[in-house]
Amino acid sequence: MLSTKEISSFNQEVPHSENESALETFGGINALERCLDTDFKNGLSSKVIKSRQDSHGRNEFEAPESDTWFQMFLESFEDTTVIVLIVAAIVSLIVGIYDDPKKGWIEGVAILAAVIVVAVVTATNNYNKELQFRKLNAVKDDVEIAVMRDGVSASIDVKELVVGDIVVLNAGDKVPADGVMVSGSDVTVNESSLTGEPDDVKKEGPSNPHADHFLLSGTSLASGYAHMVVVAVGAQSRWGKTKAKLAAETVETPLQEKLNVLAGQIGNGGMFAAGATFVAMLTLWFLYPETRAPDVTLVEYVIKAFIMAVTIIVVAVPEGLPLAVTLSLAYSTQKMMLDNNLIRVLAACETMGNATNICSDKTGTLTQNRMTVVASWVAGAFNPIGAPTAADLPPPLVKFIAEGVSVNSTANLLSSPDGSVTVLGNKTEGALLMMISDSLGADYVVLRALFDSARGDQLLTFSSLRKRMTVLLLNGPSGKSGISYTKGAAEVVVGLSTKYVTLNGKVETLTDKIKASILEAISNMAKGSLRTIALAHKEVKKSSSAELQADYLESELVLDAVYGIKDPLRPDVHDAVKACQKAGIFVRMVTGDNIDTAKAIAKECGILTENGVAMEGPVFRKLTPKQLDAVLPKLQVLARSSPDDKHTLVTRLNGHALPTNEEEWKAIHPDGNWATDRDNFLPGYQEEWQSSRVTGEVVGVTGDGTNDGPALKAADVGLSMGLCGTEVAKEASDIVIMDDNFSSIVKSVMWGRSVFDNIQKFLQFQLTVNVVALTLTFVSAVQGSEPPLNAVMMLWVNLIMDTMGALALGTEPPSAELLNRRPYKRNASLISNKMVRHILIQFVFQMLLLSYLLLVGAPHFDVAMHSREHITIIFNAFVFCQVFNEVNARSIDDTMNVFKGLFRNPLFVSIIVFTVCAQYVIVEYGGDFVRTTHLTEDQWIKCILLGSLSLPLGGLMRLLPVPNSENDFAPVPELVQHDAQQQLEKENKSRKAPYTGSFFFWAAVVLVLPVVTYQRFEEHWVPYLGEDWKNFAQVAKRF
């Protein structure tokens, strides 16, 4: 067994020829079977896996070290305003101790303590956020790979791979470790992730000693299939060594960038208010000496004014905004995993919420990807139900079908102890393998062993462009003759066929009449939503290199059979499609199936509607950009499409990958003429595209194949399939749909909209607190009175509205109602008209309430004006205004019932409870630190009741008709509007009364609270309200 050091001698970052020479010193590729104590055919024994991991390491990479909680705690003090506040607090502490050794230290220490509390909470949140993202990143690396273990094909976690394992790779697979190719065919590898070179590199097995045999981790198979023996895993691999040098950088999402700009604007406003407050307080000191406190010196007053100004800045700078979106994204991405959405790119979470178009694959996404052969055309006869058995067919035809299916596929069947069969690999191939086993009694494992790459047998793998695959079996080492088997899209293979096998086993000419009957059978199967696959063969008489190419092997074929394969529609896909249409999202199906199959399935799942258009790829490609733009508003199905067609469709919708100049256009159309053809060739060019529309669409695209990579990259959100998708597709995507289910895509839309709405809820809450706190402090300073909220109180309010508010409102779960509105535009304002209404009305209410308490409220609580009790009551009422307004902020539209779904977010409830409990402790035990004092039970009840008036006010203000701006919403095509309107009308007819238990509870609360509050303050308020009000109140009481 070679050691790690010995293996590394032929696995260096040098030209492959040098590694080949180093490998030859150990005996070459074939000697690796002995040197690594493995079996190229049967793989390793499961008994040696543990010892291999101990001796050569696990296939894992060490995660880069992240900051500790203590480091994040220290980083909390790097903010300039916090540093200034700490300095000011220390100065206040020194001056206070100098003037009053007994109590002068309290204010300075209290401010420092409050700053530390804020830092602890901030560090804890950041640390938890980091843990969540590291957990999500770990999930990204969870990949299943196919290996040979104990002589059978098995699927294992990539982390369980060890040196000596035999890995089975197909086109689109990512190479999971460094290895040497021991067998395979038609293999090319994309090594751009390691070398940066875009051209695919050809790889070959031991049959060609001068070829490149090395497969490197991090690269991907562009074509072909291969078996490789693993020589290096984890940190010892090429990718492991490269990854160790890389540090992942956090990229801000568009919403985070937008919020950072808004936070800066709010912060600038706060700095202006702070400066104005500082100047006003100093001006009052000098202009109105009679207002000075007799025991306060100028130095103390200046320090006090400076601390207040800095505190205003701390409160005004909304550090909670970036925190809110980060928390919301972290929470959402974690929860989305439970809904089978693995977020690979954080920005995709929010972008998906405002998608206007979804271009979906059919197989596995709209259907269940559980393929079964249910119809067939064999030996001149159409069988609408099932496939004929071996007894019904001539032996030669049975041989052709069984051999062709077995050797011309890469899928495997895994049998479970309970008798069920699982397909490992392509599900269509799996259906054919099960058919030859059940109907023809063939063992595909035995037949597949006929393929021998060592004697020159070839496998021309499937491509979306050719829509077929072919295998060549030579009859012996001399290679004088052989047979090729071709499998592919039915109409394509039939078009390449000139003969067919009859029921008596003879090969006869495929006449126009017979071909017409076959095409009619294909059409009938397609109209029944069946995928049609044709099998054919060809006797190869010669073996010159020219005659072993695809053009020769796939011409003048003998047609063996056509099979109709049923892939049932997912049971929830119809409702999911309707939900998208109701949400203003145009759903399109892009598939390689023929037009009849595509239309049948699209109608069944609700994508193709009465006025919709279905088009085939060849027709699509001939359109001009202007013609395609005319079709796009109604194009719902694109059949017989290639990956290039999908890429063209995406770029025409969102404009991202369009050429911007002549040079880029010529790169796409090398034979075209820029001057005469640029307006006639798809996909068009940027200037032309921009002149034809106001804005581009936000497009989500699904893809599972290697060739889908460009379309996934060009989309605003690329959605790859977790079950049937290739590793190349997953690497190119932003979100991996773990269960390949379209309804999971709908959930990603809901979560994306939830993130945006949660940020708006937090903004609505925070801006109200911000404006009230700053206005109150500034007005008090201008009036020459002591600001009712001191520095420590302001810092507590800051903690409530920033960190606590972000946690509470940033983690609201999504609801189905989010799909009842249209998507927002890319440049939509974060602050809607309805939010402005909420902020202004709550601001006016809180300012009036605090003015009442400050100017005339003290007697109503049986306390002296401007006493510590009075200030404590103002502070307490202000905090409870925020507590109840936080509940109000759960609705950013006209939904009055703010209690709806309250207990679906236990974190929100916990934070409200924590805030109330903490407020009680601060008031009752804050003492000289916070400058609060004990309140009586009556005073507590009155403070809570006054703050709770935010709830009924929230209901009243939502009666004011304030529409949101139409400019914030993306335009919706007329076809989608029509479908969405029909869906809403249907739902409205069947919908039950919207009144729930939470609604009646909310209604009772908002009706009772004003009454109870009035009763508490009646004796104090009646003199201000007059006799008429008194008489009205008495009548109301009797009523």
Side-chain angles (χ1 to χ4, degrees), residues 899-934:
F899 292 158
K900 185 177 181 180
L902 182 63
F903 292 100
R904 289 178 59 222
N905 185 5
L907 185 58
F908 182 95
V909 177
S910 301
I911 286 172
I912 293 294
V913 172
F914 171 79
T915 303
V916 171
C917 294
Q919 177 66 12
Y920 178 82
V921 172
I922 288 171
V923 168
E924 292 297 322
Y925 304 103
D928 291 335
F929 278 92
V930 192
R931 293 188 183 176
T932 56
T933 188
H934 166 72

Side-chain angles (χ1 to χ4, degrees), residues 768 772 833-849 885 888 949-950 952-962:
T768 305
V772 173
N833 293 345
K834 294 182 189 294
M835 289 170 63
V836 171
R837 173 191 65 187
H838 180 110
I839 292 167
L840 289 178
I841 290 177
Q842 289 291 340
F843 162 72
V844 171
F845 162 70
Q846 292 188 24
M847 284 304 300
L848 290 175
L849 175 62
N885 192 37
N888 251 331
L949 293 178
S950 292
L953 179 66
L956 287 174
M957 74 181 181
R958 289 184 172 92
L959 296 175
L960 295 177
V962 177

Side-chain angles (χ1 to χ4, degrees), residues 528-576:
S529 304
L530 304 186
R531 165 174 283 190
T532 53
I533 302 294
L535 307 176
H537 75 274
K538 180 177 183 176
E539 298 286 349
V540 179
K541 301 300 183 185
K542 298 179 182 179
S543 59
S544 66
S545 58
E547 291 177 330
L548 297 184
Q549 301 303 311
D551 290 343
Y552 170 74
L553 296 176
E554 296 175 348
S555 63
E556 298 182 355
L557 301 176
V558 178
L559 184 66
D560 296 325
V562 177
Y563 289 103
I565 300 175
K566 179 71 174 177
D567 187 7
L569 203 66
R570 290 186 181 274
D572 54 353
V573 75
H574 187 273
D575 291 339

Side-chain angles (χ1 to χ4, degrees), residues 940-949 1009 1012-1013 1016-1017:
W940 270 102
I941 292 173
K942 286 181 176 178
C943 287
I944 294 172
L945 287 173
L946 289 175
S948 70
L949 293 178
L1009 282 176
V1012 175
T1013 305
R1016 278 280 172 176
F1017 288 91

